[in-house]
Amino acid sequence: MNPEILVRLQNLCRDQAAFEMLKQILAEEAQQFEQEINQAHFRVEQQKALFRVITRLRQPLDTETIFQATAREVRQLLKADRVGMFRFYPNSGWDDGEFVSEDVDQAFSSAMAQKVHDHCFGDQFALHYQQGRIQAVSDIYNYGLSDCHIQILSQFQIRANLVVPLLQGQNLWGLLCIHQCRAPREWQAIEIEFATQIASHLGVALQHAELLADLQAEVQERQQAEQAVQSLNQGLQRAIIELQAVNKELEAFSYSVSHDLRAPLRSIDGFSQALLEDCHDQLNANGQDYLRRIRAATQRMGQLIDDLLNLSRVTRSEMYLEPVDLSLLASSICTELQQSQPERQVEFVIQTGLLAQGDIRLLRVLLVNLLNNAWKFTSKHTQARIEFRVSKSESGVPVYFVRDDGAGFDMTYTHKLFGPFQRLHNMRDFPGNGIGLATVQRIVHRHGGRVWAEGEVERGATFYFTLVAEEAGA
C-alpha cells in the first residue's frame, strides 16, 4: 500500500491496535483486487487465444499446424513446462499411443513420438474420459496414482499434470496434456476451464480433418471410377472397331458363300440333271440313283448355305424397336400353316392382347420358327394342340411361350437345342437343318431377353422367351 496513505491513516487512528487491524484489512482487500485484476487479464488473454484457435479452424490448415500453434499459445498463457497432444493408436483399446504435437521448455526433454503403453487405461479410464472426465493432478507423488501411472508420467519428468480429453465426435481420439515439470502446481478453475475450451475447439478440428479425409477418399474413389470408366470406354471403343472389322469380314464371307459356292453347286446340280436327262438310257439303275443322290446333296448344301446366311443377317441387321402385337403375328402365321395342310386337325390357342416392344421383322422370324417347329413335331399325331400365351416371372417380366403336345424331347439333351445344326430327332422323321432354334436364340438375345425350353418325349414341348432383361421388371 502507498506509504503516504498509511501515514495519513495512522494520524487519524489514535489507537495503534486499531490502526494495525485497519492496515491488515486494507492489505487483504488490495490483494483481492490484485487477484481479480490478474484473473481479468488472464481471461482477456484466454479469449484472445481462443479467438486465434477459432480463426485457424476457419483456415485451410492441417491438424498438425493447428496443434503446434495451439500448444505454443497454451504453454505461454499457462506458463507450463510442456503442452502436448497425445493420440491413441486406432484399434489399440486406448492402451497405446504417442505424442503427435508439443511445445516444451528447452530445459526438459521432448515427448514426441515416444510410444506409451498403459495396460489399464483402456479398461478403467477410457470410458470416463470419453464422457468428458478431466484430470488435474497437483503432485503425481501425492495424488494416490498407481505405481505404473507414476512410472509413465515420471519418464517425461512430469510433476503436475492437467489432462483433458480430445474427442472426435463421440470417439476418444486422444488427450490434451499440460505438464508442470519443475515443481508441483495447483491448477486453478479458470485454467481448467480454459484447457477444456481449447480441447473442445481442437475436437472441431479433428472432425473437420475426418470429414476432409472422407471427402478426399470419396474424390479419389470417384477419380478411380472415372479412370475405370474411361479405360472401359476405350476398351469398348477398341471392341467396337474390332467388331466392325469382323462384321466386314463376315459380310465378305457371306458374299463369297452366296456367290462363289453357289456357282459350283449349281454346276454340279445342273450337270447331274443333264446326265439323268441326256444319258438316261446309258446309265444303269445304280448310276441313276447316284446322280439323284448327288442332286439331293447339292440341293441340301444350298439350303444350308441359305440358312447360314439368314442366321448371319439376323445377327447383323439393324433393329427398329416399336410396339408389336404378337397375338396378331402368331394368328397370321398359324393361318398360313393351316392353309398349307388343311387336312390336319390342329387346335390353335392364341392369347389375345400380347403386346411387346421390339423389331417386328425379327419377332415375326422368331414366331415363325417356334410355331413351325410346333407344327412339324405334332405332325405324327392325328389331333394336336398348339398354344401361344404369356405368364409372369418372379421379377414381373412377361414370359411368352409356345407349347405343343407333339414329339417332345429328352431334357438330357436340352443344352444342344439352340446350337446351330444341332438336331435331337432323326431327319427322316422330322426334316430340317437345325438352324431355326439358333435363330430364335439370337433374336431373343438381341432384344435383351433369354430363351429356354422344357419337354418330355411324346408329351410335347414348351419354349419360353423374354424380350427384356430380368432386372428391367424388378
Side-chain angles (χ1 to χ4, degrees):
M1 182 177 290
N2 192 315
E4 294 182 1
I5 295 177
L6 287 175
V7 171
R8 290 171 63 188
L9 289 174
Q10 189 174 17
N11 291 334
L12 294 174
C13 295
R14 299 180 183 278
D15 188 344
Q16 184 64 29
F19 171 71
E20 291 296 332
M21 184 179 296
L22 179 60
K23 180 180 176 181
Q24 179 66 29
I25 293 172
L26 291 175
E28 291 175 357
E29 287 293 326
Q31 185 179 9
Q32 180 67 26
F33 287 148
E34 185 176 0
Q35 290 179 353
E36 292 178 357
I37 291 172
N38 289 337
Q39 287 187 356
H41 176 73
F42 181 84
R43 287 190 180 278
V44 170
E45 294 303 318
Q46 170 186 330
Q47 293 302 315
K48 289 181 180 178
L50 288 173
F51 176 76
R52 287 191 290 272
V53 171
I54 295 172
T55 301
R56 280 193 289 271
L57 291 178
R58 295 177 178 176
Q59 297 173 350
L61 300 175
D62 56 85
T63 53
E64 183 179 351
T65 302
I66 294 173
F67 282 173
Q68 189 60 45
T70 303
R72 182 173 58 252
E73 290 183 351
V74 172
R75 193 177 78 80
Q76 291 174 355
L77 185 59
L78 296 182
K79 296 180 175 56
D81 295 325
R82 182 190 293 110
V83 174
M85 286 69 176
F86 180 85
R87 180 181 183 180
F88 294 107
Y89 295 145
N91 304 319
S92 69
W94 297 290
D95 286 339
D96 298 277
E98 64 182 3
F99 282 91
V100 295
S101 182
E102 74 165 1
D103 188 75
V104 62
D105 190 302
Q106 294 181 355
F108 303 98
S109 60
S110 172
M112 283 290 291
Q114 292 193 36
K115 295 178 173 57
V116 178
H117 173 73
D118 187 347
H119 63 275
C120 61
F121 184 89
D123 292 335
Q124 300 181 19
F125 304 110
L127 181 61
H128 300 292
Y129 277 95
Q130 195 164 359
Q131 294 173 349
R133 172 180 174 171
I134 297 171
Q135 186 185 63
V137 178
S138 56
D139 189 343
I140 66 171
Y141 300 108
N142 298 304
Y143 196 77
L145 300 178
S146 64
D147 292 339
C148 65
H149 196 180
I150 293 175
Q151 183 180 0
I152 292 171
L153 295 177
S154 61
Q155 70 176 323
F156 299 109
Q157 304 166 285
I158 299 170
R159 190 64 188 273
N161 194 27
L162 176 59
V163 179
V164 183
L166 291 174
L167 300 176
Q168 190 177 51
Q170 300 297 319
N171 179 53
L172 179 61
W173 181 91
L175 302 170
L176 169 61
C177 301
I178 303 170
H179 298 157
Q180 199 68 30
C181 302
R182 288 184 172 83
R185 172 172 177 170
E186 291 290 341
W187 301 101
Q188 304 300 314
I190 192 172
E191 296 171 335
I192 297 173
E193 178 187 357
F194 171 65
T196 303
Q197 291 176 324
I198 288 291
S200 176
H201 289 297
L202 292 179
V204 174
L206 291 171
Q207 284 187 289
H208 287 177
E210 182 182 33
L211 292 173
L212 180 60
D214 292 342
L215 180 60
Q216 289 174 338
E218 183 178 350
V219 169
Q220 184 177 8
E221 184 178 345
R222 290 188 178 184
Q223 288 175 341
Q224 292 174 347
E226 289 175 359
Q227 291 174 356
V229 170
Q230 186 176 4
S231 298
L232 180 61
N233 286 338
Q234 292 173 349
L236 288 174
Q237 188 64 31
R238 288 194 297 270
I240 290 172
I241 294 173
E242 293 174 1
L243 183 60
Q244 289 173 342
V246 170
N247 281 337
K248 288 183 179 179
E249 291 177 2
L250 284 174
E251 288 176 4
F253 174 75
S254 298
Y255 180 85
S256 175
V257 168
S258 60
H259 291 79
D260 298 344
L261 292 185
R262 284 180 183 278
L265 282 176
R266 284 196 296 268
S267 296
I268 294 171
D269 184 49
F271 283 118
S272 298
Q273 183 179 4
L275 278 173
L276 282 172
E277 293 176 353
D278 299 341
C279 305
H280 182 273
D281 295 337
Q282 301 174 15
L283 294 172
N284 58 22
N286 285 338
Q288 295 176 16
D289 181 59
Y290 292 155
L291 285 175
R292 291 190 187 94
R293 290 189 181 187
I294 291 173
R295 291 201 64 203
T298 56
Q299 290 169 5
R300 175 166 169 73
M301 185 66 177
Q303 185 59 50
L304 287 174
I305 291 173
D306 289 340
D307 290 340
L308 275 174
L309 291 175
N310 289 333
L311 184 61
S312 176
R313 293 190 189 100
V314 165
T315 304
R316 293 184 291 106
S317 63
E318 189 173 353
M319 289 179 59
Y320 299 93
L321 300 182
E322 59 182 313
V324 178
D325 189 333
L326 297 180
S327 299
L328 186 61
L329 280 181
S331 296
S332 65
I333 295 167
C334 291
T335 299
E336 293 172 4
L337 290 171
Q338 188 66 72
Q339 290 173 349
S340 68
Q341 290 180 280
E343 72 279 5
R344 288 189 55 186
Q345 299 296 316
V346 178
E347 178 188 6
F348 292 102
V349 180
I350 299 173
Q351 184 174 335
T352 59
L354 300 186
L355 303 177
Q357 187 78 8
D359 184 297
I360 188 170
R361 178 182 56 84
L362 292 179
L363 292 180
R364 179 175 177 81
V365 172
L366 181 153
L367 289 176
V368 163
N369 279 284
L370 290 180
L371 292 169
N372 272 345
N373 268 7
W375 178 265
K376 177 170 63 176
F377 289 108
T378 56
S379 62
K380 304 297 183 181
H381 295 188
T382 55
Q383 290 187 331
R385 178 184 173 94
I386 298 174
E387 302 178 49
F388 177 51
R389 295 181 179 274
V390 70
S391 61
K392 290 283 186 179
S393 69
E394 292 182 358
S395 60
V397 170
V399 177
Y400 306 96
F401 62 89
V402 173
R403 175 176 293 145
D404 65 69
D405 56 358
F409 61 90
D410 187 345
M411 288 289 288
T412 306
Y413 305 104
T414 186
H415 60 284
K416 292 186 175 182
L417 279 175
F418 300 100
F421 306 112
Q422 295 290 333
R423 295 179 49 84
L424 301 187
H425 300 85
N426 192 298
M427 191 165 180
R428 289 190 299 271
D429 296 328
F430 301 103
N433 294 327
I435 206 73
L437 291 180
T439 302
V440 167
Q441 185 184 60
R442 294 195 181 186
I443 292 173
V444 168
H445 286 177
R446 292 202 65 187
H447 284 78
R450 65 188 184 99
V451 60
W452 67 101
E454 296 175 355
E456 187 177 349
V457 176
E458 291 304 327
R459 296 181 66 88
T462 305
F463 288 84
Y464 302 91
F465 65 92
T466 61
L467 295 175
V468 294
E470 293 290 337
E471 293 79 2

